């Protein structure tokens, strides 16, 4: 074989590392390869609740539920009536940041319109 042909063949042939060669143990050794899987944890969920009071008009509560929780008129009315009869009603379930933002927005909106409506969040 000519020198150029030999060089081309050696360049193209894969090289074996020390590990591939068996480190002198004639290939009888075993190797365990482990992969670490990262599992993402689901975020905690929080219920956003409206609390009943004797002063906030029912129509205002319906408006709040429609506006801040994207509920239909019928669904908002159902939630409002649940709050009225049971003292508390769930408007939705969200991640912490979303629930916190909704509570703050509802409370600010109620204060701006001079209503004592209370909105809270609790871990589900």
């Amino acid at each position: 074989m000519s020198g150029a042909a030999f060089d081309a063949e050696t360049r193209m042939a894969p090289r074996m590392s020390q590990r591939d060669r068996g480190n002198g143990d004639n290939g009888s050794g075993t190797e365990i390869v482990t992969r670490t899987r990262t599992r993402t944890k689901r975020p905690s969920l929080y219920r956003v609740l409206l609390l009943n009071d004797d002063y906030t008009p029912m129509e205002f509560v319906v408006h709040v539920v429609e506006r801040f929780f994207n509920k239909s008129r019928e669904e908002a009315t159902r939630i409002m009536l649940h709050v009225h009869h049971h003292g508390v009603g769930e408007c939705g379930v969200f991640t912490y940041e979303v629930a916190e933002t909704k509570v703050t927005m509802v409370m600010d909106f109620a204060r701006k319109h001079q209503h004592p409506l209370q909105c809270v969040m609790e871990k589900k």
Side-chain angles (χ1 to χ4, degrees), residues 33-82:
V33 177
T34 58
R35 282 193 192 147
T36 308
R37 283 193 188 176
T38 344
R39 296 197 112 178
T40 53
K41 182 181 168 192
R42 289 184 167 260
S44 297
L45 295 177
Y46 292 80
R47 299 169 63 206
V48 176
L49 308 169
L50 286 179
L51 306 178
N52 191 34
D53 65 72
D54 295 333
Y55 303 101
T56 305
M58 292 179 174
E59 192 57 38
F60 183 78
V61 175
V62 170
H63 177 69
V64 164
V65 174
E66 286 177 317
R67 179 175 178 165
F68 295 105
F69 299 98
N70 300 318
K71 302 291 184 184
S72 68
R73 185 73 158 178
E74 294 75 29
E75 183 71 8
T77 302
R78 190 188 64 71
I79 292 170
M80 176 275 299
L81 287 172
H82 192 274

Side-chain angles (χ1 to χ4, degrees), residues 64-105:
V64 164
V65 174
E66 286 177 317
R67 179 175 178 165
F68 295 105
F69 299 98
N70 300 318
K71 302 291 184 184
S72 68
R73 185 73 158 178
E74 294 75 29
E75 183 71 8
T77 302
R78 190 188 64 71
I79 292 170
M80 176 275 299
L81 287 172
H82 192 274
V83 171
H84 182 69
H85 292 296
H86 297 95
V88 65
E90 181 180 292
C91 297
V93 178
F94 309 95
T95 59
Y96 180 83
E97 291 80 10
V98 174
E100 184 179 46
T101 301
K102 290 200 181 276
V103 167
T104 302
M105 289 169 58

Side-chain angles (χ1 to χ4, degrees), residues 1-48:
M1 214 185 286
S2 75
F6 179 76
D7 287 341
E9 284 178 21
T10 23
R11 272 186 273 144
M12 291 174 27
R15 294 181 177 216
M16 290 177 51
S17 68
Q18 281 295 101
R19 189 181 73 205
D20 294 336
R21 291 184 193 135
N23 277 338
D25 63 343
N26 299 327
S28 62
T30 58
E31 204 172 306
I32 298 174
V33 177
T34 58
R35 282 193 192 147
T36 308
R37 283 193 188 176
T38 344
R39 296 197 112 178
T40 53
K41 182 181 168 192
R42 289 184 167 260
S44 297
L45 295 177
Y46 292 80
R47 299 169 63 206
V48 176

